[in-house]
Structures are given as structure tokens and as C-alpha cells.
Amino acid sequence: MFKKDFVWGAATSAYQIEGAAYADGKGLTIWDTFCKKDGVIFDGHSGDDACEHYYRYKEDVALMKQVGLRAYRLSLSWARILPSGTGAVNPKGIEFYNNLIDELLKNGITPYITLYHWDLPLELYHKGGWLNRESADWFAEYARIAVTNFGDRVKHFMTFNEPQVAVGMGFASGIHAPGLKMAPSETVRMTHNILLAHGKAVKAMREIAPDLKIGIVPVNIFSYPEIETPENIALARKLSFDMIDHPTDWFFSAAWWGDPVMFGKYPEDGLKRFGQWLPDGWERDMETIKQPIDFYGPNFYEGRAVQVSASENNGYTTKRFRYPGCPKTAFNWPITPEGLKWAAIFLHERYKLPIYIMENGLSCHDVISLDGKVHDPNRIDYLNRHLLALREAAESGADVAGYFQWSLLDNFEWASGYSERFGLVYVDFTTQQRIIKDSGHWYRGVIESNGENL
């Protein structure tokens, strides 16, 4: 079973729900400007208004309480706090997050703060962004300001959400902001600077508040054994941490991001491929990158089934991600709950830290039915299957400490605009009406039973 103090929550991010993109002194981000380009976002949508959470946060916290959340993972908008990314602090931004934090605590909901969820301040991008080594110091300054203002009440902080996607989809495939297609000679340098920023931020936060619990939130592509034999489990473990041989998917390699943070070194197979593009003197940065953290917070959406093969060519077979006829979400992502079990087990084995699943969920074709409710049985089934798999991981010995469903609200889903709905709460984006879906009511029962009713 899950631990008695297991953390049950849901997650969102600033740009996806806050709106108020130009209000109260907030600075511009790369997403504010990217969304103005023709043809890059579904139907020309943007996060200018999103869910209007900036104005409706009390209503949204009340919904969290109705769903029974014990914890809520939010991200801060760097540019709402520091409009230029550095320098002068925006008091209205600090006020908003203070009010939100106080409202959460008043309702018995523990806030978990992510510092960076892809919305880089535009002025820092114009200074080179993550290609500029100074970005590590910019980020540490921002982290210091966040903890100074919120660390008296918020005790759980995460540095980066899915840096794999921030770099891979923003600067390699060009699907996300700022929409660039850079070569590994540039993107490898960016990954190093982001890891250095993580280390410097952790150090800065601990100098202010040594009692904080700090982690990082990666997303990786994990293998799992199609049939649970010792040989297949060993193969899945190996492939989960091997570098992915793909022009852009290599960003999702678990060890490239996790090993520097946890061990202070890059994986050997990664260095063979990309070491030539790391910045001069990168070795001296590894002790800074390897700051002690308290938990590992992976997001999980999909995995790949693998099996040892009698073939002499590659030694194994894999269904990869999208085999013919695989079950999939409305977003066409494969549904692989077994992958969550083994991701938690493998990560705990390797890094020896408590594991919080910081995002897990799916997009469905949700509509308001004739009865005025939103019935989403596919989401209930998906969450049930993944939570059962996570419980198996806990019962197998992995230190599984918490689960955050993605997401609380239907929201702006990046390049897909408002075409994909992930929420426990339905949002009508023309009226901003909110309706708790069947899955939200179901999740409340799961939380109340600590997962025993699964």
C-alpha cells in the first residue's frame, strides 16, 4: 500500500493557467511572443487569458478543496516576479503569489513550487538565454528572491520542470517557444548551463532556508519489461538509462540529466557522443551541479515495452512508443501504466531518493453532457491503472512519496493551444465556467482512502 503520509496532489504551470499576460507589471516571456507568430499554435491560440487564474485563484483553490487535494504543485512566472529576468522585483507579482500561497494554506493544501516551467523572460532570451553561461547566475538570483519571499511558508521547491522539453522542443525540434532548430553544438551547451543553474539555485536557496525540501522534475522515456523475467527487467533497466540514439529524442535520456545532478558526472555513453560540445572547463562545474537534493520528481506519460530476443541482430525487441493498435489518449500518446511502475523502481534503485510523480495524466475529448456534467470514464480508467502500477512499485520497495495528477484545470496546452483537455476540472474558455469532472470526484475518493479503494 501507499505510505500513510503519501502526498496526493495535482499540478499546473503559470503560463498555462494564469493569463493576465500583460497585467500589473509582468514582463514578457518567450511564450508571449512565440504565440504571436503565424501558424505555430493551434488555431492561433495563446496564453494571454488562459484560465484567468490570476484573477480567479480563490475560486480555483475552492475547487482544489472540493477535489480533496492535500497538495498543489504550481509554477512561478519568472517574468511576473522579475519583469526583466534580473534586477528590479515586481511587487504585484510577489503579492499575487503570496495571496495564492496564503489561500492554499488557509484551505489545508500544501504548496509545492516549481521555479521554471519553460517561460523564460524575453529580455534574458535576448541576452542569449540558456546559451549564455551567465544564465546560471540569473536563475540563482531568481531562486533566492523566490525563497526569500515564500520560503517561510513553502517548504518544497523544484528547480526545473522538464528541461528535456524546454531544450529539445524549444531549441532542437522548434515546436515550442522560441521555435528554433539548433545543432547539438549549441543545445548540449544549453543543457550544461541549465544543470549549472540548477546547482547554483539549490545552493542559493539552502543558504537562505536550510530546512527546504528541494528536487528537480525531469521527464524521460523509460523502458519496461513486456514479460517480467529477470532478463527482461535487466534489459529494461539498461535501456532506461542508455543514451537515446535519435537527433532530438536524445534529450529525454534519463542519465544525461540525472547523473550530473546525483553523481556529479555525465554518463560515459553521453560523453562519447556529446562531450566535444560541452563548454571548456565543464568538469569544474560538476561539484556545483551535484548539490544534495531531497527528492526526485519525474513526470510520466509514456514508456516502451522491451523483451530479450533470440535475434542475433540487436538482442532485444521493443514496441517502442506507438506499435500498431496500441491504446492511446486523445493526444495520441500511448497508454503504458506498466512503465510508471518500472520508472519509479529504476529511479529509486539508481538515485536512492524518495520519488514523487510530479505529473501524470491524459487528454480526453471532454464535453459537457446534457445533464450539465462532464463524464470522463477514460480518464478515471487511466488514472486508476497508473496508480495501481505506482502502488506496485511502492510494494516492491521503491520509496514512492507522492503523486500529482496533471492537471487540475483544462488549460493552454502549449503548441496545441486549447485543443487538448487534461484537467480534473473542465474549463469553458469563452465563459471561464468551471465544472469538476467525474474524474475529480473519483480522485477525491482515492485521496480519502489513501489509494486503498483502487
PDB file of all heavy atoms in Angstrom, residues 62-64 66-67 373-374 424-426 434-441:
ATOM      1  N   ALA A  62     -10.779  26.841  -4.053  1.00  0.00           N
ATOM      2  CA  ALA A  62     -12.010  26.218  -3.543  1.00  0.00           C
ATOM      3  C   ALA A  62     -12.299  24.913  -4.287  1.00  0.00           C
ATOM      4  O   ALA A  62     -12.743  23.925  -3.682  1.00  0.00           O
ATOM      5  CB  ALA A  62     -13.183  27.183  -3.674  1.00  0.00           C
ATOM      6  N   LEU A  63     -12.026  24.901  -5.589  1.00  0.00           N
ATOM      7  CA  LEU A  63     -12.201  23.663  -6.359  1.00  0.00           C
ATOM      8  C   LEU A  63     -11.208  22.593  -5.908  1.00  0.00           C
ATOM      9  O   LEU A  63     -11.550  21.415  -5.813  1.00  0.00           O
ATOM     10  CB  LEU A  63     -12.021  23.953  -7.848  1.00  0.00           C
ATOM     11  CG  LEU A  63     -13.134  24.765  -8.518  1.00  0.00           C
ATOM     12  CD1 LEU A  63     -12.690  25.241  -9.889  1.00  0.00           C
ATOM     13  CD2 LEU A  63     -14.413  23.940  -8.619  1.00  0.00           C
ATOM     14  N   MET A  64      -9.977  23.001  -5.641  1.00  0.00           N
ATOM     15  CA  MET A  64      -8.980  22.054  -5.127  1.00  0.00           C
ATOM     16  C   MET A  64      -9.477  21.402  -3.835  1.00  0.00           C
ATOM     17  O   MET A  64      -9.323  20.188  -3.644  1.00  0.00           O
ATOM     18  CB  MET A  64      -7.658  22.767  -4.842  1.00  0.00           C
ATOM     19  CG  MET A  64      -6.956  23.339  -6.038  1.00  0.00           C
ATOM     20  SD  MET A  64      -5.434  24.196  -5.513  1.00  0.00           S
ATOM     21  CE  MET A  64      -5.303  25.453  -6.782  1.00  0.00           C
ATOM     22  N   GLN A  66     -12.583  21.023  -2.932  1.00  0.00           N
ATOM     23  CA  GLN A  66     -13.690  20.113  -3.259  1.00  0.00           C
ATOM     24  C   GLN A  66     -13.164  18.783  -3.799  1.00  0.00           C
ATOM     25  O   GLN A  66     -13.737  17.725  -3.523  1.00  0.00           O
ATOM     26  CB  GLN A  66     -14.612  20.757  -4.293  1.00  0.00           C
ATOM     27  CG  GLN A  66     -15.471  21.889  -3.763  1.00  0.00           C
ATOM     28  CD  GLN A  66     -16.408  22.419  -4.829  1.00  0.00           C
ATOM     29  OE1 GLN A  66     -17.216  21.684  -5.394  1.00  0.00           O
ATOM     30  NE2 GLN A  66     -16.300  23.707  -5.132  1.00  0.00           N
ATOM     31  N   VAL A  67     -12.091  18.834  -4.578  1.00  0.00           N
ATOM     32  CA  VAL A  67     -11.490  17.611  -5.103  1.00  0.00           C
ATOM     33  C   VAL A  67     -10.751  16.837  -4.014  1.00  0.00           C
ATOM     34  O   VAL A  67     -10.453  15.652  -4.173  1.00  0.00           O
ATOM     35  CB  VAL A  67     -10.550  17.955  -6.294  1.00  0.00           C
ATOM     36  CG1 VAL A  67      -9.750  16.750  -6.756  1.00  0.00           C
ATOM     37  CG2 VAL A  67     -11.349  18.531  -7.453  1.00  0.00           C
ATOM     38  N   LYS A 373     -23.084  17.771 -16.645  1.00  0.00           N
ATOM     39  CA  LYS A 373     -21.872  17.243 -16.034  1.00  0.00           C
ATOM     40  C   LYS A 373     -20.857  16.861 -17.119  1.00  0.00           C
ATOM     41  O   LYS A 373     -21.178  16.821 -18.297  1.00  0.00           O
ATOM     42  CB  LYS A 373     -22.213  16.029 -15.159  1.00  0.00           C
ATOM     43  CG  LYS A 373     -23.168  16.355 -14.010  1.00  0.00           C
ATOM     44  CD  LYS A 373     -23.522  15.112 -13.214  1.00  0.00           C
ATOM     45  CE  LYS A 373     -24.494  15.446 -12.093  1.00  0.00           C
ATOM     46  NZ  LYS A 373     -24.872  14.232 -11.298  1.00  0.00           N
ATOM     47  N   VAL A 374     -19.627  16.586 -16.674  1.00  0.00           N
ATOM     48  CA  VAL A 374     -18.578  16.150 -17.594  1.00  0.00           C
ATOM     49  C   VAL A 374     -18.171  14.741 -17.187  1.00  0.00           C
ATOM     50  O   VAL A 374     -17.581  14.538 -16.135  1.00  0.00           O
ATOM     51  CB  VAL A 374     -17.367  17.096 -17.574  1.00  0.00           C
ATOM     52  CG1 VAL A 374     -16.289  16.589 -18.533  1.00  0.00           C
ATOM     53  CG2 VAL A 374     -17.787  18.514 -17.953  1.00  0.00           C
ATOM     54  N   LEU A 424      -8.811  17.753 -14.251  1.00  0.00           N
ATOM     55  CA  LEU A 424      -9.855  17.192 -13.403  1.00  0.00           C
ATOM     56  C   LEU A 424     -11.058  18.127 -13.377  1.00  0.00           C
ATOM     57  O   LEU A 424     -12.163  17.714 -13.023  1.00  0.00           O
ATOM     58  CB  LEU A 424      -9.339  17.010 -11.970  1.00  0.00           C
ATOM     59  CG  LEU A 424      -8.199  16.013 -11.745  1.00  0.00           C
ATOM     60  CD1 LEU A 424      -7.688  16.113 -10.317  1.00  0.00           C
ATOM     61  CD2 LEU A 424      -8.644  14.586 -12.059  1.00  0.00           C
ATOM     62  N   VAL A 425     -10.809  19.381 -13.750  1.00  0.00           N
ATOM     63  CA  VAL A 425     -11.854  20.404 -13.791  1.00  0.00           C
ATOM     64  C   VAL A 425     -11.982  20.908 -15.227  1.00  0.00           C
ATOM     65  O   VAL A 425     -10.998  21.311 -15.843  1.00  0.00           O
ATOM     66  CB  VAL A 425     -11.511  21.572 -12.845  1.00  0.00           C
ATOM     67  CG1 VAL A 425     -12.560  22.682 -12.953  1.00  0.00           C
ATOM     68  CG2 VAL A 425     -11.405  21.080 -11.398  1.00  0.00           C
ATOM     69  N   TYR A 426     -13.197  20.862 -15.746  1.00  0.00           N
ATOM     70  CA  TYR A 426     -13.482  21.361 -17.094  1.00  0.00           C
ATOM     71  C   TYR A 426     -13.532  22.886 -17.066  1.00  0.00           C
ATOM     72  O   TYR A 426     -14.105  23.486 -16.164  1.00  0.00           O
ATOM     73  CB  TYR A 426     -14.826  20.810 -17.563  1.00  0.00           C
ATOM     74  CG  TYR A 426     -15.228  21.200 -18.967  1.00  0.00           C
ATOM     75  CD1 TYR A 426     -14.909  20.381 -20.045  1.00  0.00           C
ATOM     76  CD2 TYR A 426     -15.926  22.373 -19.212  1.00  0.00           C
ATOM     77  CE1 TYR A 426     -15.283  20.721 -21.337  1.00  0.00           C
ATOM     78  CE2 TYR A 426     -16.303  22.734 -20.500  1.00  0.00           C
ATOM     79  CZ  TYR A 426     -15.980  21.898 -21.563  1.00  0.00           C
ATOM     80  OH  TYR A 426     -16.348  22.244 -22.846  1.00  0.00           O
ATOM     81  N   ARG A 434     -16.228  26.750 -14.637  1.00  0.00           N
ATOM     82  CA  ARG A 434     -15.521  25.550 -14.198  1.00  0.00           C
ATOM     83  C   ARG A 434     -16.537  24.492 -13.770  1.00  0.00           C
ATOM     84  O   ARG A 434     -17.515  24.806 -13.092  1.00  0.00           O
ATOM     85  CB  ARG A 434     -14.618  25.845 -13.000  1.00  0.00           C
ATOM     86  CG  ARG A 434     -13.215  26.374 -13.384  1.00  0.00           C
ATOM     87  CD  ARG A 434     -13.166  27.870 -13.279  1.00  0.00           C
ATOM     88  NE  ARG A 434     -11.798  28.335 -13.052  1.00  0.00           N
ATOM     89  CZ  ARG A 434     -11.131  29.122 -13.890  1.00  0.00           C
ATOM     90  NH1 ARG A 434     -11.680  29.548 -15.016  1.00  0.00           N
ATOM     91  NH2 ARG A 434      -9.904  29.522 -13.584  1.00  0.00           N
ATOM     92  N   ILE A 435     -16.250  23.226 -14.138  1.00  0.00           N
ATOM     93  CA  ILE A 435     -17.076  22.090 -13.715  1.00  0.00           C
ATOM     94  C   ILE A 435     -16.134  20.959 -13.314  1.00  0.00           C
ATOM     95  O   ILE A 435     -15.290  20.533 -14.115  1.00  0.00           O
ATOM     96  CB  ILE A 435     -18.006  21.591 -14.847  1.00  0.00           C
ATOM     97  CG1 ILE A 435     -18.958  22.698 -15.301  1.00  0.00           C
ATOM     98  CG2 ILE A 435     -18.801  20.371 -14.386  1.00  0.00           C
ATOM     99  CD1 ILE A 435     -19.769  22.326 -16.546  1.00  0.00           C
ATOM    100  N   ILE A 436     -16.269  20.464 -12.100  1.00  0.00           N
ATOM    101  CA  ILE A 436     -15.471  19.304 -11.691  1.00  0.00           C
ATOM    102  C   ILE A 436     -15.964  18.091 -12.468  1.00  0.00           C
ATOM    103  O   ILE A 436     -17.157  17.772 -12.471  1.00  0.00           O
ATOM    104  CB  ILE A 436     -15.579  19.056 -10.179  1.00  0.00           C
ATOM    105  CG1 ILE A 436     -15.019  20.255  -9.404  1.00  0.00           C
ATOM    106  CG2 ILE A 436     -14.809  17.785  -9.793  1.00  0.00           C
ATOM    107  CD1 ILE A 436     -15.152  20.129  -7.890  1.00  0.00           C
ATOM    108  N   LYS A 437     -15.047  17.426 -13.156  1.00  0.00           N
ATOM    109  CA  LYS A 437     -15.396  16.245 -13.940  1.00  0.00           C
ATOM    110  C   LYS A 437     -15.606  15.035 -13.016  1.00  0.00           C
ATOM    111  O   LYS A 437     -15.226  15.058 -11.844  1.00  0.00           O
ATOM    112  CB  LYS A 437     -14.287  15.949 -14.952  1.00  0.00           C
ATOM    113  CG  LYS A 437     -13.983  17.092 -15.908  1.00  0.00           C
ATOM    114  CD  LYS A 437     -12.778  16.775 -16.785  1.00  0.00           C
ATOM    115  CE  LYS A 437     -12.333  17.992 -17.584  1.00  0.00           C
ATOM    116  NZ  LYS A 437     -11.135  17.726 -18.427  1.00  0.00           N
ATOM    117  N   ASP A 438     -16.172  13.994 -13.578  1.00  0.00           N
ATOM    118  CA  ASP A 438     -16.333  12.759 -12.798  1.00  0.00           C
ATOM    119  C   ASP A 438     -14.997  12.302 -12.217  1.00  0.00           C
ATOM    120  O   ASP A 438     -14.940  11.799 -11.092  1.00  0.00           O
ATOM    121  CB  ASP A 438     -16.902  11.650 -13.684  1.00  0.00           C
ATOM    122  CG  ASP A 438     -18.375  11.838 -13.999  1.00  0.00           C
ATOM    123  OD1 ASP A 438     -18.989  12.784 -13.468  1.00  0.00           O
ATOM    124  OD2 ASP A 438     -18.922  11.036 -14.798  1.00  0.00           O
ATOM    125  N   SER A 439     -13.923  12.487 -12.979  1.00  0.00           N
ATOM    126  CA  SER A 439     -12.605  12.052 -12.503  1.00  0.00           C
ATOM    127  C   SER A 439     -12.181  12.829 -11.265  1.00  0.00           C
ATOM    128  O   SER A 439     -11.486  12.288 -10.396  1.00  0.00           O
ATOM    129  CB  SER A 439     -11.554  12.216 -13.599  1.00  0.00           C
ATOM    130  OG  SER A 439     -11.472  13.563 -14.027  1.00  0.00           O
ATOM    131  N   GLY A 440     -12.575  14.106 -11.172  1.00  0.00           N
ATOM    132  CA  GLY A 440     -12.250  14.890  -9.986  1.00  0.00           C
ATOM    133  C   GLY A 440     -12.936  14.351  -8.746  1.00  0.00           C
ATOM    134  O   GLY A 440     -12.337  14.266  -7.660  1.00  0.00           O
ATOM    135  N   HIS A 441     -14.202  13.965  -8.900  1.00  0.00           N
ATOM    136  CA  HIS A 441     -14.929  13.378  -7.769  1.00  0.00           C
ATOM    137  C   HIS A 441     -14.353  12.001  -7.429  1.00  0.00           C
ATOM    138  O   HIS A 441     -14.232  11.647  -6.250  1.00  0.00           O
ATOM    139  CB  HIS A 441     -16.415  13.270  -8.108  1.00  0.00           C
ATOM    140  CG  HIS A 441     -17.077  14.594  -8.345  1.00  0.00           C
ATOM    141  ND1 HIS A 441     -17.227  15.540  -7.350  1.00  0.00           N
ATOM    142  CD2 HIS A 441     -17.612  15.143  -9.475  1.00  0.00           C
ATOM    143  CE1 HIS A 441     -17.847  16.615  -7.844  1.00  0.00           C
ATOM    144  NE2 HIS A 441     -18.081  16.399  -9.128  1.00  0.00           N
TER     145      HIS A 441
END
